[in-house]
Amino acid sequence: MTEAGATLHRHVAELYPICRSITGAGLRATLRYIGAQIPLTLTEVPSGTRILDWEVPPEWVVRGARLATLDGRTVVDFADHTLHLLQYSEPVDRVVMRDELDAHLFSLPEQPTLIPYRTSYYARNWGFCLPHATRRALRDDAYRVRIDTALIDGSLTYGECALPGEEPGEVLISAHCCHPSLANDNLAAIAIAIDLAQWLAARRRRFTWRFLFAPGTVGAIAWLAANRDAPQRVRHGLVLTCLGDPAAPTYKQSRRRDAAIDRYVAYVLGGARILPFAPTGYDERQFCSPGFDLPMGCLMRSPAGTFPEYHTSADNPDFVRPEAMADSLRVLQEIAILIEHDRPWRNTAPYGEPQLGRRGLYAEQDRMALLWVLNLSDGRHTLLDIAERAGLPFASIRAAAQRLEHARLLEPAAA
Ligand code: ZN
């Protein structure tokens, strides 16, 4: 296991036991954990606030929940697994007949040993999620239900880590953080976002990099409501999700399909596993809504719903692999290098070939890269254009451009 993989997996293991939701103490505890790794600004949006076409829901408080037989034997206890309780369950404290109870139980007949993940944020309900095998064993006429929760006038919380850049424009990286004990969806992406932010914080940056940790859907909508000028600022963006499973990386294109980010990710992934945009999935639904139309795609490994562990207790820290997470981080670092360094340059000596030997620039192994950069740096071609036309790696073209800039043979051209 690499050191990067071990660090990423440790973040997942630390965050896994917390009962997150779209509001509340678990969400705040998660943001506090992130804030201990990278500088994070928290925003609290009060319950009832109008946010675009939505409203911030009441804050969910959960102290405990237990389903038991009338003689006191536990059937399921929230203390054993956060998935046991239907998210946003309202409080209940009474004896319930088995028929009534059955309408409030959620299980997976096809996966009888797993606990499903279920929510009821906007329709008042209560319920328990349990292995189908446990449910099948319920034979009593009545059971004791005790759900110690509250729906209060509180707030919704999101966190932002903004790393300022030298030039105008932002890169927005977003990861949802509202799922309780689920590892791939989405603790792996949160862990990778933390490490990517640390890596970027230690480097010179052309753009401001903004990392947004918000509850899915309603958190992204709350952020967009407060950032109506996002289309003017955001030059590139990615939604990160499901980045820890063993499948190869997958990219879902932005709504625009031809944004620079779409090209960068396709280049890094070698053109493999590129999916077209669809108005489903994660918060790309909000960021790519037509009023905002941000240049944001979604980077993942296995897409949501395509792996059997998805939204079940099998999506646990054993399912996410340190090597896969380290690979996701490496892919993101390569994308970040393209975002930061792909730009047009201008050859300051465009009449004839400048004499490279006199400037100490003549070396057989990078001669082709130097010549291509000099020839195509007319202000119209970016370094990635040049790399693709020359059939050379972006890293070689970028290194050649750096050497030519030091030799004052290149100057930045307006993008
Ligand atoms: Zn999910």
Side-chain angles (χ1 to χ4, degrees):
M1 192 191 298
T2 62
E3 198 184 315
T7 303
L8 292 166
H9 199 270
R10 196 158 54 241
H11 290 319
V12 171
E14 293 270 344
L15 291 168
Y16 181 74
I18 300 173
C19 183
R20 278 161 292 275
S21 186
I22 54 171
T23 61
L27 173 61
R28 287 192 195 94
T30 301
L31 294 171
R32 260 198 313 278
Y33 178 89
I34 298 168
Q37 324 292 325
I38 54 176
L40 203 68
T41 306
L42 299 191
T43 301
E44 299 279 353
V45 189
S47 305
T49 305
R50 291 288 299 180
I51 43 169
L52 306 180
D53 197 46
W54 293 56
E55 195 175 283
V56 174
E59 182 175 324
W60 190 46
V61 178
V62 48
R63 288 174 286 258
R66 184 167 170 262
L67 174 66
T69 61
L70 295 186
D71 56 7
R73 282 177 296 114
T74 298
V75 179
V76 293
D77 193 328
F78 170 76
D80 296 331
H81 207 301
T82 65
L83 292 180
H84 275 319
L85 183 60
L86 174 74
Q87 287 249 319
Y88 264 68
S89 277
E90 58 189 2
V92 181
D93 189 3
R94 60 186 170 89
V95 170
V96 176
M97 300 307 288
R98 197 172 79 218
D99 281 354
E100 184 193 349
L101 176 66
D102 205 53
H104 294 273
L105 296 182
F106 303 89
S107 62
L108 300 166
E110 309 292 315
Q111 296 169 297
T113 62
L114 304 183
I115 310 166
Y117 163 55
R118 291 285 186 278
T119 67
S120 189
Y121 302 134
Y122 302 104
R124 288 285 75 88
N125 197 0
W126 60 268
F128 290 99
C129 306
L130 70 174
H132 196 67
T134 308
R135 180 182 191 169
R136 267 199 321 244
L138 298 179
R139 297 283 151 75
D140 298 357
D141 293 333
Y143 288 86
R144 186 78 175 82
V145 172
R146 185 165 177 280
I147 298 177
D148 187 5
T149 56
L151 289 156
I152 63 165
D153 223 3
S155 55
L156 172 151
T157 320
Y158 61 78
E160 290 171 273
C161 167
L163 306 171
E166 293 170 357
E167 296 180 19
E170 282 191 14
V171 182
L172 178 60
I173 304 291
S174 164
H176 67 274
C177 50
C178 52
H179 285 29
S181 300
L182 293 164
N184 198 32
D185 178 16
N186 195 35
L187 297 176
I190 292 171
I192 288 160
I194 290 170
D195 275 31
L196 180 66
Q198 289 172 334
W199 183 78
L200 282 160
R203 303 166 74 90
R204 262 185 87 164
R205 290 173 306 278
R206 172 178 161 202
F207 292 118
T208 293
W209 285 73
R210 183 178 300 277
F211 290 80
L212 172 63
F213 301 92
T217 306
V218 72
I221 287 171
W223 185 85
L224 284 166
N227 290 271
R228 294 296 288 261
D229 64 337
Q232 284 79 58
R233 302 197 324 253
V234 176
R235 303 285 174 87
H236 313 278
L238 284 172
V239 171
L240 306 184
T241 188
C242 298
L243 284 170
D245 67 85
T250 303
Y251 177 65
K252 178 179 160 184
Q253 292 176 324
S254 74
R255 178 179 182 271
R256 301 183 188 185
R257 297 186 288 189
D258 60 352
I261 189 68
D262 299 317
R263 187 180 177 203
Y264 295 159
V265 182
Y267 180 80
V268 171
L269 299 186
R273 291 173 70 100
I274 309 294
L275 305 176
F277 176 78
T280 56
Y282 291 93
D283 285 329
E284 65 273 20
R285 291 154 64 174
Q286 316 310 330
F287 299 121
C288 296
S289 56
F292 291 102
D293 195 20
L294 300 184
M296 286 179 81
C298 178
L299 187 71
M300 59 205 131
R301 297 184 82 88
S302 286
T306 65
F307 50 99
E309 296 83 358
Y310 175 75
H311 279 191
T312 75
S313 50
D315 183 3
N316 58 43
D318 291 335
F319 175 55
V320 297
R321 310 286 167 83
E323 323 77 74
M325 283 192 284
D327 181 64
S328 298
L329 178 62
R330 178 196 59 77
V331 165
L332 278 161
Q333 288 168 340
E334 285 187 32
I335 295 166
I337 288 169
L338 280 164
I339 288 172
E340 286 280 300
H341 297 286
D342 182 39
R343 62 186 310 159
W345 292 85
R346 195 177 300 284
N347 178 345
T348 59
Y351 300 100
E353 237 175 47
Q355 206 193 357
L356 297 179
R358 173 155 57 85
R359 295 176 170 89
L361 284 171
Y362 193 89
E364 206 49 57
Q365 73 274 17
D366 58 10
R367 183 163 162 265
M368 287 310 293
L370 292 168
L371 293 177
W372 272 110
V373 172
L374 282 169
N375 187 279
L376 288 178
S377 286
D378 52 8
R380 292 196 306 271
H381 298 88
T382 70
L383 293 185
L384 184 57
D385 295 332
I386 300 172
E388 290 192 325
R389 186 142 164 205
L392 290 169
F394 183 80
S396 311
I397 293 295
R398 183 190 153 213
Q402 274 176 335
R403 295 182 63 201
L404 292 167
E405 187 194 6
H406 284 137
R408 298 180 192 282
L409 285 171
L410 279 191
E411 62 185 18

